[in-house]
Amino acid sequence: MNREKMAEVLEKIALLLELKGENPFKVRAYRQGAEVVMSLEEDIVGLAKADQLKGIKGIGEALRDKLGELAKTGRLEFYENLIAEFPDTIFDLFDVQGLGPKKIKALYEALGVDSLEKLKRACEADEVAKLAGFGAKTQVKILEAIAANEKFADRFTLGEIKPMVENILDTLRQHPEVSRVSVAGSYRRAKETVGDLDFLVATRQGARVCEDFTTLPEVDAVIACGDTKASVRLKNGIHCDLRAVTSAEFPFALQYFSGSKEHNVAIRSLALKKGWSLNEYGLNPTDRATARPEVNEEEDIYSALGLQFIEPELRENRGEIEAAMENALPRLVELMNLRGTFHNHTTASDGRDTLEGMVEEAMELGLQYLGISDHSKSSVYANGLDEERLLQQVKAIRELEEKLGGFRIFAGSEVDILKDGSLDFGDEILAKLDYCVASVHSIFNLDEATMTERICRAMENEHVTMLGHVTGRLLLKRDAYVVDHARIIDCAAATGTIIELNCSPMRLDMDWRWWKRARDKGVLCSINPDAHSRGGLHHLGLGVRVARKGWLRREDVLNTRSVQEVEEFLKTPKGAR
Ligand code: DGT
Ligand code: CA
Ligand code: CA
Ligand code: ZN
């Protein structure tokens, strides 16, 4: 039993109780319990085993007993009885955008729909449209949502698989027969989503290492296992290849399997021009007159070709090879360059941790300053702050700062951009803040020109320090709203507005493909975790990887600056920065 499994059981109980039409308070208790299980700092499984959950906020008596049973026996009778009433596939229905428990219940009772498959067939047979409360429009929407799910089904977000990849790498490193280890592919290049994982090891015992790989605890099914390659499916559904090569082949295999394919094609043709054929095993002279370069590391391949080393994040054949030829690659920003960060939430709006908790975590991470920006009043769903509560929060921030002596907390707001591009707070309130993030949180369905206009108008406000999550995308869940990135970048440059790189694993926008352009126009980036809990602050590293993918250097990122520099920056009027 671990924390994730515990939370998953509670989450599923909440869904099934909702399906059964149980009391909403009861449902909410389970859902809240799942959140507490995930966010509690102490070892929740250990506490549950020892019957020491009493006094933990958000876990009542009924949940306490159930968590105890789960931790001690690995099972929960209540859950098993509940789940036996429904088929497993019913959970997939909750992933369909626009389908809530009420609708799922109606579909289940009237049409016996208990899987995506059956839902799709019922829509195609025009049965769903005839149900009370559905209609033809809803049916079309459901079919579209199913199609979207299918489109995204075989990819995973970089953030969600990161902990697992780190674990597997650790295990491989400890294998006694393995000398070198790396992950390659899109994961190494920091693509925002990855299709499958590509691991690489150097070993003389390929067969044994491949076999051991197939017995990792994360593995769900073995697809193939040979002397140089193993293929598995992990428990979360992602496919994973392991390639075992000799130490001499390792740099070539690493370069090849890191991709991208487009980068490799260009590199290979460059090699050919120099008289070498490059593949995953080596760099071989195409005629006897050409010498074979000595290669021990991946760097040596690039240097043999007359190139600067190209960081994996840049390998997309988007100008990095040309820049490397001219020794003109940027020195990319690194996690250790970050001194602080902006755009974080607290329990005042929809965060799970208090102001004090968030600050404590930031200090533990070694940051020198933290920006708080809770939601504004129009974001009712997120318990957004009105003017009065915001000013109270500013006061609480100043007091906490005083008490801490030395750690700087920037008081801000994540202010909603309203439909017409005006802001949720007036200028006199915004002027009292240290900074402000402006974001779109509603009315996503405007056409491109209107949405772009709306955002640009917000950026023209003197008090808007930065633009939050530019496209509102939720990776693999909700498409971005359409905006004219080029125009937004121009507007940011003209108004001196910073654009945020949102580190939430679900967002990671502004998209990396646009950052080089923004940077070249002089637009600053702020790497913002958009943290809704202490743990959320740890996503900064993910944001840095995406910033690197966007060619950003230390000087392009606001939060690499010192407290004094940031204070100076925020004091200067926007146009003069
Ligand atoms: P993914 O898995 O869809 O997120 O993307 P990748 O880039 O990880 O692609 P994958 O797993 O199919 O292959 C890993 C790397 O192997 C890829 O980035 C480049 C290299 N590779 C695969 N197929 C080819 C190919 O046909 N030609 C070349 N030059 N390289 C290839
Ligand atoms: Ca891959
Ligand atoms: Ca692959
Ligand atoms: Zn937001």
Side-chain angles (χ1 to χ4, degrees), residues 367-392:
L367 300 179
Q368 295 165 8
Y369 53 89
L370 182 73
I372 298 295
S373 57
D374 271 308
H375 288 284
S376 63
K377 59 182 189 254
S378 287
S379 280
V380 177
Y381 68 92
N383 189 25
L385 281 61
D386 60 13
E387 287 82 351
E388 198 188 325
R389 287 178 62 218
L390 177 60
L391 293 180
Q392 273 169 13

PDB file of all heavy atoms in Angstrom, residues 367-392:
ATOM      1  N   LEU A 367      15.027  29.056  -2.005  1.00  0.00           N
ATOM      2  CA  LEU A 367      14.684  30.273  -2.738  1.00  0.00           C
ATOM      3  C   LEU A 367      14.830  31.491  -1.823  1.00  0.00           C
ATOM      4  O   LEU A 367      14.781  31.366  -0.597  1.00  0.00           O
ATOM      5  CB  LEU A 367      13.251  30.183  -3.275  1.00  0.00           C
ATOM      6  CG  LEU A 367      12.976  29.021  -4.244  1.00  0.00           C
ATOM      7  CD1 LEU A 367      11.522  29.035  -4.690  1.00  0.00           C
ATOM      8  CD2 LEU A 367      13.898  29.083  -5.452  1.00  0.00           C
ATOM      9  N   GLN A 368      14.993  32.665  -2.429  1.00  0.00           N
ATOM     10  CA  GLN A 368      15.150  33.892  -1.645  1.00  0.00           C
ATOM     11  C   GLN A 368      13.873  34.718  -1.609  1.00  0.00           C
ATOM     12  O   GLN A 368      13.757  35.637  -0.816  1.00  0.00           O
ATOM     13  CB  GLN A 368      16.283  34.737  -2.218  1.00  0.00           C
ATOM     14  CG  GLN A 368      17.635  34.055  -2.105  1.00  0.00           C
ATOM     15  CD  GLN A 368      18.681  34.719  -2.992  1.00  0.00           C
ATOM     16  OE1 GLN A 368      18.438  35.759  -3.570  1.00  0.00           O
ATOM     17  NE2 GLN A 368      19.834  34.078  -3.083  1.00  0.00           N
ATOM     18  N   TYR A 369      12.959  34.415  -2.507  1.00  0.00           N
ATOM     19  CA  TYR A 369      11.693  35.147  -2.492  1.00  0.00           C
ATOM     20  C   TYR A 369      10.594  34.299  -3.114  1.00  0.00           C
ATOM     21  O   TYR A 369      10.865  33.355  -3.864  1.00  0.00           O
ATOM     22  CB  TYR A 369      11.802  36.488  -3.225  1.00  0.00           C
ATOM     23  CG  TYR A 369      12.358  36.413  -4.628  1.00  0.00           C
ATOM     24  CD1 TYR A 369      11.515  36.214  -5.725  1.00  0.00           C
ATOM     25  CD2 TYR A 369      13.722  36.558  -4.871  1.00  0.00           C
ATOM     26  CE1 TYR A 369      12.016  36.167  -7.017  1.00  0.00           C
ATOM     27  CE2 TYR A 369      14.234  36.505  -6.161  1.00  0.00           C
ATOM     28  CZ  TYR A 369      13.383  36.315  -7.232  1.00  0.00           C
ATOM     29  OH  TYR A 369      13.886  36.263  -8.502  1.00  0.00           O
ATOM     30  N   LEU A 370       9.351  34.625  -2.738  1.00  0.00           N
ATOM     31  CA  LEU A 370       8.207  33.891  -3.256  1.00  0.00           C
ATOM     32  C   LEU A 370       7.095  34.891  -3.574  1.00  0.00           C
ATOM     33  O   LEU A 370       6.803  35.765  -2.760  1.00  0.00           O
ATOM     34  CB  LEU A 370       7.709  32.899  -2.204  1.00  0.00           C
ATOM     35  CG  LEU A 370       6.531  32.018  -2.634  1.00  0.00           C
ATOM     36  CD1 LEU A 370       7.003  30.966  -3.627  1.00  0.00           C
ATOM     37  CD2 LEU A 370       5.897  31.309  -1.431  1.00  0.00           C
ATOM     38  N   GLY A 371       6.505  34.750  -4.742  1.00  0.00           N
ATOM     39  CA  GLY A 371       5.370  35.592  -5.102  1.00  0.00           C
ATOM     40  C   GLY A 371       4.075  34.841  -4.844  1.00  0.00           C
ATOM     41  O   GLY A 371       3.927  33.690  -5.231  1.00  0.00           O
ATOM     42  N   ILE A 372       3.157  35.484  -4.123  1.00  0.00           N
ATOM     43  CA  ILE A 372       1.837  34.895  -3.891  1.00  0.00           C
ATOM     44  C   ILE A 372       0.865  35.588  -4.838  1.00  0.00           C
ATOM     45  O   ILE A 372       0.903  36.810  -5.002  1.00  0.00           O
ATOM     46  CB  ILE A 372       1.394  35.106  -2.431  1.00  0.00           C
ATOM     47  CG1 ILE A 372       2.368  34.412  -1.474  1.00  0.00           C
ATOM     48  CG2 ILE A 372      -0.036  34.609  -2.211  1.00  0.00           C
ATOM     49  CD1 ILE A 372       2.411  32.900  -1.586  1.00  0.00           C
ATOM     50  N   SER A 373       0.005  34.820  -5.482  1.00  0.00           N
ATOM     51  CA  SER A 373      -1.019  35.434  -6.340  1.00  0.00           C
ATOM     52  C   SER A 373      -2.231  34.517  -6.346  1.00  0.00           C
ATOM     53  O   SER A 373      -2.348  33.617  -7.165  1.00  0.00           O
ATOM     54  CB  SER A 373      -0.496  35.633  -7.761  1.00  0.00           C
ATOM     55  OG  SER A 373      -0.080  34.418  -8.303  1.00  0.00           O
ATOM     56  N   ASP A 374      -3.120  34.749  -5.392  1.00  0.00           N
ATOM     57  CA  ASP A 374      -4.343  33.951  -5.354  1.00  0.00           C
ATOM     58  C   ASP A 374      -5.327  34.479  -6.387  1.00  0.00           C
ATOM     59  O   ASP A 374      -5.149  35.561  -6.947  1.00  0.00           O
ATOM     60  CB  ASP A 374      -4.933  33.984  -3.938  1.00  0.00           C
ATOM     61  CG  ASP A 374      -4.372  32.868  -3.073  1.00  0.00           C
ATOM     62  OD1 ASP A 374      -4.421  31.704  -3.533  1.00  0.00           O
ATOM     63  OD2 ASP A 374      -3.885  33.147  -1.970  1.00  0.00           O
ATOM     64  N   HIS A 375      -6.372  33.681  -6.639  1.00  0.00           N
ATOM     65  CA  HIS A 375      -7.359  34.055  -7.657  1.00  0.00           C
ATOM     66  C   HIS A 375      -8.144  35.299  -7.254  1.00  0.00           C
ATOM     67  O   HIS A 375      -8.272  35.612  -6.078  1.00  0.00           O
ATOM     68  CB  HIS A 375      -8.335  32.893  -7.878  1.00  0.00           C
ATOM     69  CG  HIS A 375      -7.710  31.744  -8.598  1.00  0.00           C
ATOM     70  ND1 HIS A 375      -7.463  31.768  -9.956  1.00  0.00           N
ATOM     71  CD2 HIS A 375      -7.286  30.536  -8.166  1.00  0.00           C
ATOM     72  CE1 HIS A 375      -6.912  30.623 -10.314  1.00  0.00           C
ATOM     73  NE2 HIS A 375      -6.780  29.857  -9.249  1.00  0.00           N
ATOM     74  N   SER A 376      -8.705  35.959  -8.259  1.00  0.00           N
ATOM     75  CA  SER A 376      -9.509  37.155  -8.012  1.00  0.00           C
ATOM     76  C   SER A 376     -10.991  36.789  -7.990  1.00  0.00           C
ATOM     77  O   SER A 376     -11.375  35.675  -8.345  1.00  0.00           O
ATOM     78  CB  SER A 376      -9.217  38.202  -9.081  1.00  0.00           C
ATOM     79  OG  SER A 376      -9.604  37.717 -10.347  1.00  0.00           O
ATOM     80  N   LYS A 377     -11.824  37.760  -7.630  1.00  0.00           N
ATOM     81  CA  LYS A 377     -13.211  37.458  -7.244  1.00  0.00           C
ATOM     82  C   LYS A 377     -14.059  36.785  -8.323  1.00  0.00           C
ATOM     83  O   LYS A 377     -14.944  36.002  -8.014  1.00  0.00           O
ATOM     84  CB  LYS A 377     -13.902  38.730  -6.748  1.00  0.00           C
ATOM     85  CG  LYS A 377     -13.940  39.859  -7.769  1.00  0.00           C
ATOM     86  CD  LYS A 377     -14.601  41.100  -7.180  1.00  0.00           C
ATOM     87  CE  LYS A 377     -14.844  42.152  -8.234  1.00  0.00           C
ATOM     88  NZ  LYS A 377     -13.958  43.298  -8.190  1.00  0.00           N
ATOM     89  N   SER A 378     -13.782  37.050  -9.617  1.00  0.00           N
ATOM     90  CA  SER A 378     -14.607  36.416 -10.662  1.00  0.00           C
ATOM     91  C   SER A 378     -14.423  34.911 -10.726  1.00  0.00           C
ATOM     92  O   SER A 378     -15.281  34.192 -11.239  1.00  0.00           O
ATOM     93  CB  SER A 378     -14.300  37.010 -12.032  1.00  0.00           C
ATOM     94  OG  SER A 378     -14.835  38.302 -12.108  1.00  0.00           O
ATOM     95  N   SER A 379     -13.268  34.422 -10.262  1.00  0.00           N
ATOM     96  CA  SER A 379     -13.050  32.979 -10.242  1.00  0.00           C
ATOM     97  C   SER A 379     -13.728  32.403  -9.004  1.00  0.00           C
ATOM     98  O   SER A 379     -13.084  31.974  -8.050  1.00  0.00           O
ATOM     99  CB  SER A 379     -11.561  32.655 -10.241  1.00  0.00           C
ATOM    100  OG  SER A 379     -11.051  32.769 -11.541  1.00  0.00           O
ATOM    101  N   VAL A 380     -15.046  32.396  -9.044  1.00  0.00           N
ATOM    102  CA  VAL A 380     -15.826  31.975  -7.885  1.00  0.00           C
ATOM    103  C   VAL A 380     -15.549  30.509  -7.545  1.00  0.00           C
ATOM    104  O   VAL A 380     -15.380  30.138  -6.391  1.00  0.00           O
ATOM    105  CB  VAL A 380     -17.332  32.178  -8.171  1.00  0.00           C
ATOM    106  CG1 VAL A 380     -18.160  31.676  -7.002  1.00  0.00           C
ATOM    107  CG2 VAL A 380     -17.623  33.643  -8.440  1.00  0.00           C
ATOM    108  N   TYR A 381     -15.442  29.688  -8.600  1.00  0.00           N
ATOM    109  CA  TYR A 381     -15.188  28.250  -8.418  1.00  0.00           C
ATOM    110  C   TYR A 381     -13.918  28.016  -7.610  1.00  0.00           C
ATOM    111  O   TYR A 381     -13.745  26.995  -6.968  1.00  0.00           O
ATOM    112  CB  TYR A 381     -15.050  27.577  -9.796  1.00  0.00           C
ATOM    113  CG  TYR A 381     -13.806  28.037 -10.505  1.00  0.00           C
ATOM    114  CD1 TYR A 381     -12.616  27.329 -10.368  1.00  0.00           C
ATOM    115  CD2 TYR A 381     -13.791  29.223 -11.250  1.00  0.00           C
ATOM    116  CE1 TYR A 381     -11.451  27.776 -10.965  1.00  0.00           C
ATOM    117  CE2 TYR A 381     -12.642  29.670 -11.854  1.00  0.00           C
ATOM    118  CZ  TYR A 381     -11.470  28.941 -11.705  1.00  0.00           C
ATOM    119  OH  TYR A 381     -10.325  29.401 -12.275  1.00  0.00           O
ATOM    120  N   ALA A 382     -12.983  28.983  -7.680  1.00  0.00           N
ATOM    121  CA  ALA A 382     -11.695  28.815  -7.005  1.00  0.00           C
ATOM    122  C   ALA A 382     -11.632  29.643  -5.726  1.00  0.00           C
ATOM    123  O   ALA A 382     -10.558  29.887  -5.197  1.00  0.00           O
ATOM    124  CB  ALA A 382     -10.562  29.203  -7.944  1.00  0.00           C
ATOM    125  N   ASN A 383     -12.798  30.088  -5.257  1.00  0.00           N
ATOM    126  CA  ASN A 383     -12.851  30.888  -4.038  1.00  0.00           C
ATOM    127  C   ASN A 383     -11.995  32.148  -4.159  1.00  0.00           C
ATOM    128  O   ASN A 383     -11.242  32.506  -3.259  1.00  0.00           O
ATOM    129  CB  ASN A 383     -12.397  30.021  -2.843  1.00  0.00           C
ATOM    130  CG  ASN A 383     -12.630  30.711  -1.515  1.00  0.00           C
ATOM    131  OD1 ASN A 383     -13.500  31.576  -1.418  1.00  0.00           O
ATOM    132  ND2 ASN A 383     -11.837  30.360  -0.521  1.00  0.00           N
ATOM    133  N   GLY A 384     -12.090  32.801  -5.310  1.00  0.00           N
ATOM    134  CA  GLY A 384     -11.289  33.999  -5.569  1.00  0.00           C
ATOM    135  C   GLY A 384     -11.519  35.096  -4.542  1.00  0.00           C
ATOM    136  O   GLY A 384     -12.616  35.220  -3.983  1.00  0.00           O
ATOM    137  N   LEU A 385     -10.479  35.884  -4.273  1.00  0.00           N
ATOM    138  CA  LEU A 385     -10.540  36.933  -3.251  1.00  0.00           C
ATOM    139  C   LEU A 385     -11.189  38.208  -3.807  1.00  0.00           C
ATOM    140  O   LEU A 385     -10.894  38.602  -4.930  1.00  0.00           O
ATOM    141  CB  LEU A 385      -9.127  37.292  -2.779  1.00  0.00           C
ATOM    142  CG  LEU A 385      -8.440  36.382  -1.777  1.00  0.00           C
ATOM    143  CD1 LEU A 385      -8.276  34.988  -2.339  1.00  0.00           C
ATOM    144  CD2 LEU A 385      -7.095  36.948  -1.385  1.00  0.00           C
ATOM    145  N   ASP A 386     -12.030  38.831  -2.999  1.00  0.00           N
ATOM    146  CA  ASP A 386     -12.504  40.162  -3.379  1.00  0.00           C
ATOM    147  C   ASP A 386     -11.506  41.194  -2.838  1.00  0.00           C
ATOM    148  O   ASP A 386     -10.513  40.838  -2.203  1.00  0.00           O
ATOM    149  CB  ASP A 386     -13.922  40.412  -2.862  1.00  0.00           C
ATOM    150  CG  ASP A 386     -14.003  40.316  -1.346  1.00  0.00           C
ATOM    151  OD1 ASP A 386     -12.934  40.308  -0.678  1.00  0.00           O
ATOM    152  OD2 ASP A 386     -15.122  40.238  -0.816  1.00  0.00           O
ATOM    153  N   GLU A 387     -11.781  42.486  -3.084  1.00  0.00           N
ATOM    154  CA  GLU A 387     -10.841  43.538  -2.718  1.00  0.00           C
ATOM    155  C   GLU A 387     -10.472  43.469  -1.241  1.00  0.00           C
ATOM    156  O   GLU A 387      -9.303  43.572  -0.875  1.00  0.00           O
ATOM    157  CB  GLU A 387     -11.440  44.922  -3.037  1.00  0.00           C
ATOM    158  CG  GLU A 387     -11.486  45.262  -4.518  1.00  0.00           C
ATOM    159  CD  GLU A 387     -12.675  44.675  -5.259  1.00  0.00           C
ATOM    160  OE1 GLU A 387     -13.409  43.843  -4.673  1.00  0.00           O
ATOM    161  OE2 GLU A 387     -12.885  45.022  -6.443  1.00  0.00           O
ATOM    162  N   GLU A 388     -11.505  43.279  -0.418  1.00  0.00           N
ATOM    163  CA  GLU A 388     -11.265  43.314   1.010  1.00  0.00           C
ATOM    164  C   GLU A 388     -10.349  42.172   1.463  1.00  0.00           C
ATOM    165  O   GLU A 388      -9.369  42.378   2.183  1.00  0.00           O
ATOM    166  CB  GLU A 388     -12.621  43.234   1.723  1.00  0.00           C
ATOM    167  CG  GLU A 388     -12.573  43.684   3.161  1.00  0.00           C
ATOM    168  CD  GLU A 388     -13.897  43.393   3.850  1.00  0.00           C
ATOM    169  OE1 GLU A 388     -14.953  43.506   3.179  1.00  0.00           O
ATOM    170  OE2 GLU A 388     -13.867  43.032   5.038  1.00  0.00           O
ATOM    171  N   ARG A 389     -10.672  40.967   0.988  1.00  0.00           N
ATOM    172  CA  ARG A 389      -9.845  39.818   1.394  1.00  0.00           C
ATOM    173  C   ARG A 389      -8.423  39.946   0.841  1.00  0.00           C
ATOM    174  O   ARG A 389      -7.448  39.546   1.476  1.00  0.00           O
ATOM    175  CB  ARG A 389     -10.493  38.507   0.940  1.00  0.00           C
ATOM    176  CG  ARG A 389     -11.724  38.140   1.780  1.00  0.00           C
ATOM    177  CD  ARG A 389     -12.389  36.861   1.272  1.00  0.00           C
ATOM    178  NE  ARG A 389     -11.531  35.701   1.359  1.00  0.00           N
ATOM    179  CZ  ARG A 389     -11.483  34.734   0.431  1.00  0.00           C
ATOM    180  NH1 ARG A 389     -12.243  34.797  -0.633  1.00  0.00           N
ATOM    181  NH2 ARG A 389     -10.680  33.710   0.584  1.00  0.00           N
ATOM    182  N   LEU A 390      -8.315  40.503  -0.363  1.00  0.00           N
ATOM    183  CA  LEU A 390      -6.985  40.679  -0.951  1.00  0.00           C
ATOM    184  C   LEU A 390      -6.140  41.616  -0.085  1.00  0.00           C
ATOM    185  O   LEU A 390      -4.978  41.324   0.224  1.00  0.00           O
ATOM    186  CB  LEU A 390      -7.108  41.224  -2.377  1.00  0.00           C
ATOM    187  CG  LEU A 390      -5.788  41.518  -3.094  1.00  0.00           C
ATOM    188  CD1 LEU A 390      -4.937  40.252  -3.215  1.00  0.00           C
ATOM    189  CD2 LEU A 390      -6.042  42.088  -4.490  1.00  0.00           C
ATOM    190  N   LEU A 391      -6.734  42.733   0.342  1.00  0.00           N
ATOM    191  CA  LEU A 391      -5.974  43.682   1.160  1.00  0.00           C
ATOM    192  C   LEU A 391      -5.599  43.070   2.507  1.00  0.00           C
ATOM    193  O   LEU A 391      -4.511  43.318   3.032  1.00  0.00           O
ATOM    194  CB  LEU A 391      -6.766  44.982   1.342  1.00  0.00           C
ATOM    195  CG  LEU A 391      -6.953  45.777   0.029  1.00  0.00           C
ATOM    196  CD1 LEU A 391      -7.748  47.042   0.268  1.00  0.00           C
ATOM    197  CD2 LEU A 391      -5.617  46.091  -0.634  1.00  0.00           C
ATOM    198  N   GLN A 392      -6.508  42.230   3.026  1.00  0.00           N
ATOM    199  CA  GLN A 392      -6.176  41.514   4.274  1.00  0.00           C
ATOM    200  C   GLN A 392      -4.967  40.604   4.048  1.00  0.00           C
ATOM    201  O   GLN A 392      -4.080  40.495   4.888  1.00  0.00           O
ATOM    202  CB  GLN A 392      -7.344  40.628   4.705  1.00  0.00           C
ATOM    203  CG  GLN A 392      -8.373  41.333   5.557  1.00  0.00           C
ATOM    204  CD  GLN A 392      -9.622  40.468   5.712  1.00  0.00           C
ATOM    205  OE1 GLN A 392      -9.619  39.276   5.391  1.00  0.00           O
ATOM    206  NE2 GLN A 392     -10.690  41.079   6.190  1.00  0.00           N
TER     207      GLN A 392
END
